[in-house]
Structure formats: structure tokens, C-alpha cells
Amino acid sequence: MKKILLALPILFLIVISCEDSFDPYGELKDKYVFSCVIRGDTTFQTAYVTQSYMVDNYEPYSNIQDPSIKNVQIRVWEEDKVALFKDTTVSRAPDSKYKTPFSFYYNNNYQPKAGAKIEVEALLPTGKRLTSSTRVPYSITFSKSNSDTNIRLTNDYDQVRWKTGQINPVFIPRMLIYYTKPVDGKQVRFSAVVPLNYVEFNGKSKPNYAKPSSDLAYSVDMKTFKKAMELISEGDPEKSKYVIYSTFVEVYSLDENLSTYYNATARNNDAYSVKLTETDFSNVLNGTGIFGVYMRSYYVLRMKHDFINSFGYTPGLSDVQ
């Protein structure tokens, strides 16, 4: 009987506490997000500024109010030069949950100089300043004498090497096959990414892509390359309508900020890992977000006609020796 009497006060407290309103989010604190990745291969740069928001239920993706912040003054400094960003809007996709145009900031006349230090400032309408800085990575020079130039049936692998004057460089290479196929009576261009290799996971073949590294070379074995070629027309018996052109090897040279961000967000995106928490990386002062810069270089690998024909495809360029 004593056990029952002792349990009653505890049960009473539980019932009373459950009647009180419970807010799992707590008080909303203004948090500003600034995102700007400067591209070294173009003069067109973009930036985005958003803020935190609260929803009326327990589903964070139910928000339909655009969190973008307007009237932000964004400047990028490089030595004695300053690049001013303008605001603009573009229409969203018809199925977007946001019903207002997409807002962002741009500059169409700024291209960073390799090795230069650049700084950014975003002045919000409230007077708050979001700032960050980075150093532009150096471009690379491909070593043609130590790289393959053509893709042939007799190749064991395809390899590209390069050089750089950068200290502690970080690269992300990727290989793409460019081709066209008819869509609604017109030849439309496509690209197929060739992974580093394929791995078996749960009975399925999964592509495994290159991770950031300091390696000055990138190679793909022919078994992997041939599989990527086959997947271009998977399920389509009319192989000859696919016109194959060339293979490009793109090498992205990352600054320190992007390298850290990429490693933090992509390290678990492989076939053997499960990501349990969101990555919280930021290099923006007085806010959160990412400010970085990358340089892009590319190398062309031509394909022999007999190699293209072995898949039933049609060559799109003249044959190579």
C-alpha cells in the first residue's frame, strides 16, 4: 500500500507538467547566413544572404516564406580594388515551395588574381557586418609529356599529371565524357561523369568519386572508364544515335576554406558511411556560412574511333593518330 501511495504524487506531477505548454525550439535568435564562392574561371560572381526563421509546426521544411535578405551592401576587396555586388531576382521553378522570385547578389566584372588575398564584407540593413577573407589558389599547368593524350582500346588506364606553384595545394579532379543524343528531334549535349571507381554495396554498384587531395595526378583504369561509357546508353538498344566527342579532366584548385568545408560535408558521402548529424562549418564572422574561392583548369583527352565504335556509338570528331 505504501508503494501505491508513493507513486501517486509522482503521477500527479507528471500529469500537471504535461499540461504546461512545451516549446522544443525555444526563443528564436536572429542568425544570418552568408554564402559566396568566388570562381577563378569567370568574371560572374554570386552571393546569397538569408536569415533564420521559425515555423508554426515541428516540420522545418514547411516554411514557405523566402528567408532571403534584401538591400545588403556586399563588397569584395583585392589589394587596392573593390568589387561591388548588385541585387537581382530570378523566377523560381513552378514546383518551388517559395512563391516569390529567388533573390541573390552578383558582380559580372570581377575575376580574382591567383595568389591574391581577398576580403568580403556584407553590410545588412540592420547595420550588422558579416566579414570573411581568404587567399586565391594558384592555377595549375598540365604536364603533357607525362599525361595521356588519347583514349585507346589498348590503354590500361588514363592518367593526367599537373604542376603548381602553390604551397599545400588541395585539388578535386573529375573526368567527364561529352556526347550528344537526339531529344525531340534535336541533338542535345550531355556529359557523363566518370568516377574514380565503382564499389559494390548491398549488391549494387555505386560510383566512388575523388576526394580532395594534394596529389598532382589523376588516373582512372579502363575497366571503370568502359563501364561509364556503357552506362551512357543503358537500356537503350539504339547505340548509334549517341555521338561521342571528347573526355575532359577538370581540376578544381580549392582555397583553404573550401577544402575544410568540402572535407567536413563530403567525408561521409561514400557507400560505407552513415551521416548522423549535420555539419556545422563556417568561416563568416558575426554570422554563419562560407566564403571561399576556387580555380578551374581542364585537360582534353581525345578518343580513338575504334574505341568509340566498340560500344556501338558514333564518333563526333575526326580520328586521332
Side-chain angles (χ1 to χ4, degrees), residues 4 10 22 39 43 53 65 92 103 107 132 138 141 143 156 161 165 171 174 180 194 200 225 276 296 298 319:
I4 296 176
I10 297 175
F22 173 67
R39 295 178 53 181
T43 59
Y53 59 87
Q65 299 297 321
R92 296 182 186 272
S103 301
N107 181 292
S132 188
Y138 286 90
T141 303
S143 177
D156 294 324
R161 291 183 173 273
F171 308 106
R174 70 171 184 166
T180 60
V194 182
E200 293 297 322
F225 191 89
L276 299 177
R296 172 181 172 270
Y298 65 90
D319 205 0

Side-chain angles (χ1 to χ4, degrees), residues 199-206 270-274:
V199 296
E200 293 297 322
F201 184 70
N202 287 340
K204 295 182 179 180
S205 181
K206 300 286 187 180
D270 57 64
Y272 303 103
S273 301
V274 176

Side-chain angles (χ1 to χ4, degrees), residues 19-117:
E19 291 180 354
D20 295 335
S21 60
F22 173 67
D23 184 0
Y25 297 114
E27 182 182 356
L28 175 66
K29 296 181 180 180
D30 287 334
K31 195 171 186 179
Y32 302 99
V33 182
F34 177 77
S35 301
C36 179
V37 176
I38 301 294
R39 295 178 53 181
D41 61 338
T42 180
T43 59
F44 186 78
Q45 314 297 345
T46 58
Y48 312 88
V49 187
T50 59
Q51 66 183 105
S52 55
Y53 59 87
M54 182 68 76
V55 294
D56 297 327
N57 50 43
Y58 299 131
E59 175 51 62
Y61 296 105
S62 64
N63 175 59
I64 59 173
Q65 299 297 321
D66 185 4
S68 300
I69 302 177
K70 295 179 174 58
N71 301 318
V72 179
Q73 298 178 29
I74 300 177
R75 298 178 177 85
V76 173
W77 284 273
E78 180 186 311
E79 298 176 348
D80 59 345
K81 298 184 298 183
V82 60
L84 303 177
F85 282 60
K86 304 175 183 178
D87 61 334
T88 188
T89 59
V90 293
S91 299
R92 296 182 186 272
D95 58 348
S96 173
K97 67 177 182 178
Y98 299 120
K99 305 308 175 185
T100 56
F102 178 65
S103 301
F104 67 98
Y105 299 84
Y106 77 96
N107 181 292
N108 58 2
N109 193 34
Y110 172 64
Q111 190 167 10
K113 183 176 68 174
K117 180 181 179 180

Side-chain angles (χ1 to χ4, degrees), residues 83-302:
L84 303 177
F85 282 60
K86 304 175 183 178
D87 61 334
T88 188
T89 59
V90 293
S91 299
R92 296 182 186 272
D95 58 348
S96 173
K97 67 177 182 178
Y98 299 120
K99 305 308 175 185
T100 56
F102 178 65
S103 301
F104 67 98
Y105 299 84
Y106 77 96
N107 181 292
N108 58 2
N109 193 34
Y110 172 64
Q111 190 167 10
K113 183 176 68 174
K117 180 181 179 180
I118 57 176
E119 301 174 277
V120 67
E121 177 190 84
L123 177 61
L124 305 183
T126 60
K128 192 179 187 69
R129 297 175 189 270
L130 312 181
T131 62
S132 188
S133 64
T134 187
R135 188 167 293 278
V136 182
Y138 286 90
S139 299
I140 65 172
T141 303
F142 288 101
S143 177
K144 294 184 178 180
S145 60
N146 296 313
S147 302
D148 290 313
T149 56
N150 303 319
I151 298 176
R152 306 170 181 270
L153 284 169
T154 55
N155 287 14
D156 294 324
Y157 56 85
D158 303 309
Q159 179 176 258
V160 175
R161 291 183 173 273
W162 58 86
K163 298 179 290 186
T164 181
Q166 186 175 338
I167 300 175
N168 299 323
V170 177
F171 308 106
I172 301 179
R174 70 171 184 166
M175 184 178 288
L176 303 100
I177 303 168
Y178 283 89
Y179 66 97
T180 60
K181 69 176 183 179
V183 177
D184 297 330
K186 296 181 179 180
Q187 286 294 118
V188 180
R189 191 179 74 169
F190 295 88
S191 63
V193 180
V194 182
L196 180 63
N197 52 47
Y198 291 93
V199 296
E200 293 297 322
F201 184 70
N202 287 340
K204 295 182 179 180
S205 181
K206 300 286 187 180
N208 177 41
Y209 298 102
K211 304 298 188 296
S213 75
S214 298
D215 296 341
L216 299 176
Y218 183 66
S219 65
V220 173
D221 64 74
M222 285 305 294
K223 180 181 178 181
T224 298
F225 191 89
K226 289 178 179 179
K227 181 166 185 174
M229 286 283 286
E230 292 170 352
L231 290 175
I232 287 175
S233 63
E234 185 179 26
D236 189 348
E238 299 180 47
K239 309 296 183 183
S240 61
K241 68 183 182 182
Y242 292 81
V243 181
I244 308 298
Y245 291 90
S246 292
T247 298
F248 282 68
V249 176
E250 295 181 333
V251 180
Y252 293 85
S253 304
L254 307 184
D255 71 340
E256 183 177 353
N257 295 335
L258 286 183
S259 175
T260 304
Y261 175 79
Y262 190 97
N263 276 302
T265 57
R267 62 173 178 243
N268 291 322
N269 292 341
D270 57 64
Y272 303 103
S273 301
V274 176
K275 193 171 184 178
L276 299 177
T277 58
E278 290 296 325
T279 301
D280 187 15
F281 171 84
S282 174
N283 67 322
V284 176
L285 297 179
N286 295 324
T288 188
I290 177 69
F291 176 63
V293 59
Y294 71 82
M295 304 293 279
R296 172 181 172 270
S297 307
Y298 65 90
Y299 183 87
V300 180
L301 285 165
R302 296 283 300 275

